[in-house]
Amino acid sequence: MSCSKKIVIVEDQIILNEMLKNTISNTYNVVATSDDASELIKLCDLYKPDLILTDICTKNNSSGIINGKKVKDKYGNKIKVLAMTGVPDITFLNETKKANLDGFIYKNISSESLINSIEQILNGYKLFPDNVVYNTADCLKNLTNKELEILKLLCNGNSREEIADSLNIAIGTLKNHISSILNKTGFDNISKLLVFCIGNGYIVPNM
């Protein structure tokens, strides 16, 4: 029997969307589903849900993190946002925290863990893995948050000047960060590292 708490689900894989709806509906009131995170504000205005469960990479390259932040900026704690992913992107965890979302989970969790995660967030808790990144290459695990941010911007195609400008650091400081990234990962040039990260899904560009 479901309770009165209202949930919106955003997941662009049709089968998974339906499975999530069926699982969550046993406990909560799923008022809407979508395959595109860009519809989040519209859905919140219409249904006033208590919580949104959103995939990070959705239809039309819409980001659950970016659109989830828009919901938090507009509604604050009135609507909780729980982000989920099956992609081993090494930057998503930090980005969900920076966007002030309420939680982050991987899709490989059990149905019971999913319901428990939703319950914790509805009860006012923040829920993030302990900086553990699912299925991530060992060479990337020792990078700092700043180094991960730089690596993401490089994968996005930003120039070094643009990156230094956006992070408000000197070009020399940026070069030091890049040298540190290469030393920690064991790559001899940044281009090879970017190909490795993008090719293996450890960073999803422009998401």
Side-chain angles (χ1 to χ4, degrees), residues 99-116:
N100 197 33
L101 304 193
D102 299 283
F104 174 89
I105 56 174
Y106 289 103
K107 291 181 182 178
N108 65 332
I109 65 171
S110 66
S111 297
E112 183 180 359
S113 295
L114 172 62
I115 297 301
N116 288 338

PDB file of all heavy atoms in Angstrom, residues 99-116:
ATOM      1  N   ALA A  99      25.630  20.979  -6.843  1.00  0.00           N
ATOM      2  CA  ALA A  99      24.314  21.437  -7.297  1.00  0.00           C
ATOM      3  C   ALA A  99      23.287  21.461  -6.163  1.00  0.00           C
ATOM      4  O   ALA A  99      22.124  21.803  -6.386  1.00  0.00           O
ATOM      5  CB  ALA A  99      23.815  20.545  -8.434  1.00  0.00           C
ATOM      6  N   ASN A 100      23.725  21.071  -4.953  1.00  0.00           N
ATOM      7  CA  ASN A 100      22.849  21.068  -3.780  1.00  0.00           C
ATOM      8  C   ASN A 100      21.719  20.046  -3.890  1.00  0.00           C
ATOM      9  O   ASN A 100      20.644  20.241  -3.321  1.00  0.00           O
ATOM     10  CB  ASN A 100      22.277  22.465  -3.512  1.00  0.00           C
ATOM     11  CG  ASN A 100      21.710  22.607  -2.108  1.00  0.00           C
ATOM     12  OD1 ASN A 100      22.223  21.993  -1.161  1.00  0.00           O
ATOM     13  ND2 ASN A 100      20.649  23.371  -1.957  1.00  0.00           N
ATOM     14  N   LEU A 101      21.956  18.954  -4.641  1.00  0.00           N
ATOM     15  CA  LEU A 101      20.966  17.896  -4.685  1.00  0.00           C
ATOM     16  C   LEU A 101      21.000  17.123  -3.360  1.00  0.00           C
ATOM     17  O   LEU A 101      21.917  17.274  -2.562  1.00  0.00           O
ATOM     18  CB  LEU A 101      21.230  16.957  -5.870  1.00  0.00           C
ATOM     19  CG  LEU A 101      21.306  17.611  -7.261  1.00  0.00           C
ATOM     20  CD1 LEU A 101      21.239  16.548  -8.346  1.00  0.00           C
ATOM     21  CD2 LEU A 101      20.204  18.645  -7.465  1.00  0.00           C
ATOM     22  N   ASP A 102      19.987  16.315  -3.142  1.00  0.00           N
ATOM     23  CA  ASP A 102      19.838  15.672  -1.836  1.00  0.00           C
ATOM     24  C   ASP A 102      20.479  14.299  -1.756  1.00  0.00           C
ATOM     25  O   ASP A 102      20.685  13.770  -0.660  1.00  0.00           O
ATOM     26  CB  ASP A 102      18.352  15.568  -1.490  1.00  0.00           C
ATOM     27  CG  ASP A 102      17.711  16.947  -1.410  1.00  0.00           C
ATOM     28  OD1 ASP A 102      17.926  17.627  -0.397  1.00  0.00           O
ATOM     29  OD2 ASP A 102      17.025  17.343  -2.378  1.00  0.00           O
ATOM     30  N   GLY A 103      20.791  13.707  -2.904  1.00  0.00           N
ATOM     31  CA  GLY A 103      21.410  12.397  -2.859  1.00  0.00           C
ATOM     32  C   GLY A 103      21.871  11.921  -4.220  1.00  0.00           C
ATOM     33  O   GLY A 103      21.537  12.504  -5.254  1.00  0.00           O
ATOM     34  N   PHE A 104      22.653  10.850  -4.198  1.00  0.00           N
ATOM     35  CA  PHE A 104      23.246  10.290  -5.412  1.00  0.00           C
ATOM     36  C   PHE A 104      23.368   8.784  -5.212  1.00  0.00           C
ATOM     37  O   PHE A 104      23.902   8.326  -4.193  1.00  0.00           O
ATOM     38  CB  PHE A 104      24.628  10.916  -5.638  1.00  0.00           C
ATOM     39  CG  PHE A 104      25.412  10.324  -6.780  1.00  0.00           C
ATOM     40  CD1 PHE A 104      25.286  10.834  -8.057  1.00  0.00           C
ATOM     41  CD2 PHE A 104      26.292   9.270  -6.566  1.00  0.00           C
ATOM     42  CE1 PHE A 104      26.026  10.299  -9.112  1.00  0.00           C
ATOM     43  CE2 PHE A 104      27.030   8.731  -7.613  1.00  0.00           C
ATOM     44  CZ  PHE A 104      26.887   9.255  -8.888  1.00  0.00           C
ATOM     45  N   ILE A 105      22.848   8.007  -6.158  1.00  0.00           N
ATOM     46  CA  ILE A 105      22.939   6.549  -6.069  1.00  0.00           C
ATOM     47  C   ILE A 105      23.325   5.972  -7.425  1.00  0.00           C
ATOM     48  O   ILE A 105      23.148   6.608  -8.459  1.00  0.00           O
ATOM     49  CB  ILE A 105      21.603   5.914  -5.613  1.00  0.00           C
ATOM     50  CG1 ILE A 105      20.459   6.320  -6.552  1.00  0.00           C
ATOM     51  CG2 ILE A 105      21.290   6.272  -4.159  1.00  0.00           C
ATOM     52  CD1 ILE A 105      19.135   5.639  -6.261  1.00  0.00           C
ATOM     53  N   TYR A 106      23.841   4.743  -7.397  1.00  0.00           N
ATOM     54  CA  TYR A 106      24.118   4.014  -8.625  1.00  0.00           C
ATOM     55  C   TYR A 106      22.974   3.050  -8.901  1.00  0.00           C
ATOM     56  O   TYR A 106      22.307   2.560  -7.983  1.00  0.00           O
ATOM     57  CB  TYR A 106      25.445   3.266  -8.518  1.00  0.00           C
ATOM     58  CG  TYR A 106      26.642   4.178  -8.525  1.00  0.00           C
ATOM     59  CD1 TYR A 106      27.321   4.476  -7.345  1.00  0.00           C
ATOM     60  CD2 TYR A 106      27.074   4.768  -9.705  1.00  0.00           C
ATOM     61  CE1 TYR A 106      28.413   5.328  -7.336  1.00  0.00           C
ATOM     62  CE2 TYR A 106      28.168   5.622  -9.708  1.00  0.00           C
ATOM     63  CZ  TYR A 106      28.836   5.905  -8.527  1.00  0.00           C
ATOM     64  OH  TYR A 106      29.901   6.748  -8.533  1.00  0.00           O
ATOM     65  N   LYS A 107      22.741   2.770 -10.174  1.00  0.00           N
ATOM     66  CA  LYS A 107      21.600   1.939 -10.569  1.00  0.00           C
ATOM     67  C   LYS A 107      21.770   0.473 -10.222  1.00  0.00           C
ATOM     68  O   LYS A 107      20.826  -0.299 -10.375  1.00  0.00           O
ATOM     69  CB  LYS A 107      21.348   2.088 -12.080  1.00  0.00           C
ATOM     70  CG  LYS A 107      20.816   3.449 -12.495  1.00  0.00           C
ATOM     71  CD  LYS A 107      20.570   3.488 -13.993  1.00  0.00           C
ATOM     72  CE  LYS A 107      20.077   4.840 -14.443  1.00  0.00           C
ATOM     73  NZ  LYS A 107      19.876   4.905 -15.907  1.00  0.00           N
ATOM     74  N   ASN A 108      22.937   0.077  -9.752  1.00  0.00           N
ATOM     75  CA  ASN A 108      23.147  -1.334  -9.439  1.00  0.00           C
ATOM     76  C   ASN A 108      22.694  -1.694  -8.022  1.00  0.00           C
ATOM     77  O   ASN A 108      22.961  -2.777  -7.536  1.00  0.00           O
ATOM     78  CB  ASN A 108      24.621  -1.716  -9.633  1.00  0.00           C
ATOM     79  CG  ASN A 108      25.546  -0.995  -8.664  1.00  0.00           C
ATOM     80  OD1 ASN A 108      25.253   0.114  -8.213  1.00  0.00           O
ATOM     81  ND2 ASN A 108      26.671  -1.609  -8.348  1.00  0.00           N
ATOM     82  N   ILE A 109      21.986  -0.789  -7.329  1.00  0.00           N
ATOM     83  CA  ILE A 109      21.504  -1.095  -5.987  1.00  0.00           C
ATOM     84  C   ILE A 109      20.223  -1.932  -6.063  1.00  0.00           C
ATOM     85  O   ILE A 109      19.553  -1.973  -7.097  1.00  0.00           O
ATOM     86  CB  ILE A 109      21.243   0.183  -5.156  1.00  0.00           C
ATOM     87  CG1 ILE A 109      20.096   1.016  -5.747  1.00  0.00           C
ATOM     88  CG2 ILE A 109      22.502   1.008  -5.030  1.00  0.00           C
ATOM     89  CD1 ILE A 109      19.661   2.168  -4.862  1.00  0.00           C
ATOM     90  N   SER A 110      19.869  -2.584  -4.970  1.00  0.00           N
ATOM     91  CA  SER A 110      18.672  -3.414  -4.917  1.00  0.00           C
ATOM     92  C   SER A 110      17.422  -2.537  -4.783  1.00  0.00           C
ATOM     93  O   SER A 110      17.501  -1.349  -4.423  1.00  0.00           O
ATOM     94  CB  SER A 110      18.746  -4.366  -3.723  1.00  0.00           C
ATOM     95  OG  SER A 110      18.699  -3.629  -2.509  1.00  0.00           O
ATOM     96  N   SER A 111      16.270  -3.137  -5.051  1.00  0.00           N
ATOM     97  CA  SER A 111      15.000  -2.418  -4.898  1.00  0.00           C
ATOM     98  C   SER A 111      14.813  -1.954  -3.461  1.00  0.00           C
ATOM     99  O   SER A 111      14.349  -0.830  -3.200  1.00  0.00           O
ATOM    100  CB  SER A 111      13.834  -3.314  -5.310  1.00  0.00           C
ATOM    101  OG  SER A 111      13.916  -3.653  -6.674  1.00  0.00           O
ATOM    102  N   GLU A 112      15.191  -2.810  -2.516  1.00  0.00           N
ATOM    103  CA  GLU A 112      15.067  -2.455  -1.098  1.00  0.00           C
ATOM    104  C   GLU A 112      15.943  -1.259  -0.749  1.00  0.00           C
ATOM    105  O   GLU A 112      15.512  -0.345  -0.035  1.00  0.00           O
ATOM    106  CB  GLU A 112      15.448  -3.662  -0.229  1.00  0.00           C
ATOM    107  CG  GLU A 112      15.275  -3.417   1.259  1.00  0.00           C
ATOM    108  CD  GLU A 112      15.671  -4.622   2.109  1.00  0.00           C
ATOM    109  OE1 GLU A 112      16.064  -5.653   1.518  1.00  0.00           O
ATOM    110  OE2 GLU A 112      15.577  -4.530   3.344  1.00  0.00           O
ATOM    111  N   SER A 113      17.170  -1.248  -1.264  1.00  0.00           N
ATOM    112  CA  SER A 113      18.077  -0.124  -1.003  1.00  0.00           C
ATOM    113  C   SER A 113      17.546   1.163  -1.627  1.00  0.00           C
ATOM    114  O   SER A 113      17.700   2.250  -1.048  1.00  0.00           O
ATOM    115  CB  SER A 113      19.472  -0.429  -1.547  1.00  0.00           C
ATOM    116  OG  SER A 113      20.059  -1.505  -0.857  1.00  0.00           O
ATOM    117  N   LEU A 114      16.932   1.050  -2.807  1.00  0.00           N
ATOM    118  CA  LEU A 114      16.349   2.223  -3.461  1.00  0.00           C
ATOM    119  C   LEU A 114      15.251   2.832  -2.595  1.00  0.00           C
ATOM    120  O   LEU A 114      15.233   4.046  -2.368  1.00  0.00           O
ATOM    121  CB  LEU A 114      15.789   1.839  -4.832  1.00  0.00           C
ATOM    122  CG  LEU A 114      14.977   2.914  -5.558  1.00  0.00           C
ATOM    123  CD1 LEU A 114      15.840   4.142  -5.850  1.00  0.00           C
ATOM    124  CD2 LEU A 114      14.386   2.358  -6.855  1.00  0.00           C
ATOM    125  N   ILE A 115      14.341   1.994  -2.102  1.00  0.00           N
ATOM    126  CA  ILE A 115      13.249   2.488  -1.259  1.00  0.00           C
ATOM    127  C   ILE A 115      13.801   3.090   0.032  1.00  0.00           C
ATOM    128  O   ILE A 115      13.342   4.147   0.488  1.00  0.00           O
ATOM    129  CB  ILE A 115      12.248   1.356  -0.947  1.00  0.00           C
ATOM    130  CG1 ILE A 115      11.583   0.862  -2.231  1.00  0.00           C
ATOM    131  CG2 ILE A 115      11.185   1.833   0.052  1.00  0.00           C
ATOM    132  CD1 ILE A 115      10.824   1.919  -3.009  1.00  0.00           C
ATOM    133  N   ASN A 116      14.806   2.442   0.611  1.00  0.00           N
ATOM    134  CA  ASN A 116      15.435   2.985   1.827  1.00  0.00           C
ATOM    135  C   ASN A 116      16.095   4.332   1.565  1.00  0.00           C
ATOM    136  O   ASN A 116      16.044   5.239   2.404  1.00  0.00           O
ATOM    137  CB  ASN A 116      16.470   1.997   2.370  1.00  0.00           C
ATOM    138  CG  ASN A 116      15.839   0.775   3.005  1.00  0.00           C
ATOM    139  OD1 ASN A 116      14.683   0.816   3.406  1.00  0.00           O
ATOM    140  ND2 ASN A 116      16.590  -0.315   3.097  1.00  0.00           N
TER     141      ASN A 116
END
